Amino acid sequence: MPKTIRNQTVEQLGGSNSILVRQRREHEEMDRLMGRYRSLDDLHQREQVLKQVVRLVFSHAFAEETVLWPAVRASVPDGEELTARVEEEHQMINDLVADVERLPLGDPGREDKVRQAFELIRQDIRDEEDLLLPRLQDAMNTARLRKLGAAWAAVRQTAPTHPHPVVPRRPPGNALLGVPLSVYDRVRDVLGPGGSAPRGGK
């Protein structure tokens, strides 16, 4: 039975450039940011942290769906079933965060949707680290894990950073729509939803 990647060393996972290490590193950052969000009382400070969570989660998931999950389906005997499970979780997170972004700050239902999204993100992390990624580890040697990590990181740098519920979860549809959506999202991240630079710089 494959063991979780959660407690393995960097060397066991194929080195710092391995897809397994890259995945775990970003999962840890997601968990840290979600914990920080919960620790804050100020609504505006929480909102800034939430924006960081959203940018990280959606660029990370897009790279998974574009590069990582096709490799799992090609290399792991039950890869289709495993990736379908996490893709369903991604869609649920996508829909919840899209709802959050439509609701005004302070809306009573908004915080409940944030809570649900965080729970799903944590469940998704466990499914990936405990079920899916150990299977990939068994199926690939270190060189392939590092090559996959490099491809994942390249896509991750230019991925969309916000939810887009109508975008397909699999290539080629997500890849074709990813470039224009990434440009739109990254302009939005800098200028704000209204299209003009927010006060106070960033």
Side-chain angles (χ1 to χ4, degrees):
M1 185 72 178
K3 56 186 176 181
T4 179
I5 71 163
R6 186 177 194 175
N7 300 318
Q8 294 186 53
T9 66
V10 169
E11 290 71 25
Q12 287 174 316
L13 296 176
S16 61
N17 293 324
S18 162
I19 185 60
L20 304 177
V21 174
R22 292 177 188 270
Q23 286 282 110
R24 187 175 68 180
R25 187 184 303 133
E26 289 207 345
H27 289 165
E28 289 169 350
E29 179 64 4
M30 289 175 203
D31 193 63
R32 185 191 72 79
L33 288 169
M34 290 187 292
R36 175 158 171 73
Y37 178 91
R38 291 180 182 276
S39 73
L40 294 169
D41 294 321
D42 182 84
L43 282 179
H44 294 285
Q45 288 182 342
R46 284 163 71 95
E47 187 64 11
Q48 291 306 308
V49 174
L50 181 61
K51 287 178 181 178
Q52 291 179 275
V53 174
V54 169
R55 290 171 191 165
L56 176 58
V57 165
F58 285 97
S59 58
H60 177 96
F62 184 86
E64 287 179 336
E65 293 165 359
T66 305
V67 174
L68 183 52
W69 300 161
V72 171
R73 287 191 287 273
S75 305
V76 176
D78 52 352
E80 179 65 40
E81 179 183 346
L82 290 168
T83 56
R85 176 173 175 167
V86 295
E87 285 168 343
E88 183 178 347
E89 290 170 348
H90 286 187
Q91 187 64 49
M92 294 168 67
I93 293 164
N94 200 321
D95 293 344
L96 281 166
V97 175
D99 287 345
V100 168
E101 291 191 340
R102 283 191 291 265
L103 291 169
L105 196 62
D107 185 288
R110 193 174 193 270
E111 188 59 33
D112 186 56
K113 288 185 181 293
V114 171
R115 179 189 57 77
Q116 292 178 57
F118 282 8
E119 287 176 359
L120 275 169
I121 291 167
R122 288 197 166 101
Q123 179 60 52
D124 184 66
I125 289 170
R126 294 276 46 85
D127 284 343
E128 291 175 11
E129 293 192 1
D130 300 344
L131 299 174
L132 194 153
L133 294 174
R135 304 284 178 87
L136 186 68
Q137 183 180 25
D138 285 345
M140 287 191 174
N141 61 29
T142 297
R144 289 184 69 197
L145 290 171
R146 290 176 179 172
K147 185 176 180 180
L148 190 59
W152 176 90
V155 171
R156 161 80 175 75
Q157 291 302 312
T158 57
T161 57
H162 288 272
H164 298 282
V166 298
V167 174
R169 302 249 71 88
R170 295 191 177 192
N174 66 344
L176 290 172
L177 290 170
V179 172
L181 289 174
S182 176
V183 172
Y184 172 79
D185 284 352
R186 289 166 192 271
V187 169
R188 177 183 173 191
D189 290 340
V190 173
L191 300 181
S196 58
R199 294 178 185 176
K202 192 170 180 180

